[in-house]
Amino acid sequence: MFACCCVAEEDAKEIEISPTLPAMVVPEAEAKAPEFGEFKVELQCYDFSSLGVTLDTCAQPRVISAIDASSALAKFNEQNPKLRIEVYDALVAIDDVEDAKGMDEKLSKLPESLTLKVNRPRQVKVAFKKTGGLGVKLDWQPKSLGVVVTEMQGTGHIADWNKEHPSQAVSVSDRFVELDGKRLLGGEMLDALKKEKGDNTITLTVLKY
């Protein structure tokens, strides 16, 4: 005797097979230089004999004071506008070489590519009426980008500013590069500061590395 078990059509369940969806490709975020702080870029140099930078040697780290328009760096800036390297950026390392002599050797004969580590400064505007001394010691060269703070004193306009604006306090190694919006070289900045006095408010643009 044979028995047969059947499933009624009304009890059968349909199984729907969903089509396989392609994986969503999320594009990588485009690299962009920070507003301030350190970042790295890689340059292709095989068509160039020079990186094309002039470095301000007044203090460490050395700061870029000019970029040759027909250089490897200028070409990089043209092709990578969001990663462009600018005047006032500090050159911290080349291929992980951080000492000045080693970096100069790297620049003397360019390899096919270089990795630059750069520090972009934070800009702070310091405003006060110059009725006395600043209360800082400064280092400079005739053609340096402004002047560099080498020592802080306990009194003076800068000490007063620091007490009132601790998040924007001036410190050793900062640079004064503009006076009332005008870029000045080292000797020019000192002369201008000496002449300023009285009730007029002056504004210094300070670069913090």
Side-chain angles (χ1 to χ4, degrees):
M1 180 177 179
F2 298 93
C4 179
C5 180
C6 298
V7 179
E9 290 186 6
E10 59 269 22
D11 294 333
K13 294 183 178 179
E14 291 186 2
I15 300 176
E16 295 184 0
I17 301 177
S18 300
T20 302
L21 297 177
M24 181 178 293
V25 178
V26 180
E28 294 184 5
E30 186 176 1
K32 183 180 179 181
E35 183 179 353
F36 57 88
E38 293 186 349
F39 63 102
K40 290 184 178 181
V41 298
E42 185 174 345
L43 278 71
Q44 302 302 317
C45 308
Y46 47 81
D47 286 336
F48 300 90
S49 60
S50 170
L51 183 62
V53 295
T54 302
L55 297 174
D56 184 339
T57 59
C58 182
Q60 295 294 331
R62 297 184 296 179
V63 173
I64 296 173
S65 59
I67 300 174
D68 188 334
S70 59
S71 65
L73 186 53
K75 185 67 173 180
F76 171 85
N77 284 347
E78 179 185 342
Q79 295 177 340
N80 302 273
K82 292 187 177 181
L83 279 172
R84 63 180 292 113
I85 294 175
E86 303 172 348
V87 170
Y88 292 144
D89 288 347
L91 187 56
V92 178
I94 302 176
D95 291 340
D96 295 327
V97 176
E98 297 185 355
D99 63 286
K101 183 179 179 181
M103 287 195 284
D104 287 342
E105 291 175 355
K106 286 277 187 181
L107 295 177
S108 64
K109 187 176 180 181
L110 292 185
E112 290 190 355
S113 65
L114 283 175
T115 299
L116 305 182
K117 184 178 181 181
V118 178
N119 185 11
R120 178 155 296 164
R122 179 165 68 100
Q123 292 196 16
V124 172
K125 302 289 186 181
V126 176
F128 54 87
K129 293 181 179 180
K130 189 173 181 293
T131 56
L134 297 183
V136 295
K137 288 188 177 181
L138 303 169
D139 191 15
W140 59 281
Q141 295 173 355
K143 298 297 183 181
S144 62
L145 295 177
V147 295
V148 181
V149 178
T150 59
E151 184 179 325
M152 302 288 299
Q153 298 173 357
T155 59
H157 291 304
I158 299 301
D160 293 341
W161 168 270
N162 287 352
K163 291 174 184 177
E164 296 173 6
H165 306 85
S167 65
Q168 297 179 313
V170 176
S171 55
V172 170
S173 297
D174 289 354
R175 281 182 182 252
F176 301 165
V177 293
E178 294 181 2
L179 178 61
D180 293 333
K182 183 179 180 180
R183 289 188 179 187
L184 297 174
L185 300 178
E188 297 171 336
M189 179 65 78
L190 282 185
D191 290 342
L193 287 173
K194 289 177 182 177
K195 293 176 182 177
E196 289 288 349
K197 60 183 64 177
D199 294 331
N200 293 330
T201 297
I202 65 172
T203 301
L204 285 169
T205 300
V206 180
L207 303 184
K208 301 184 65 63
Y209 291 92

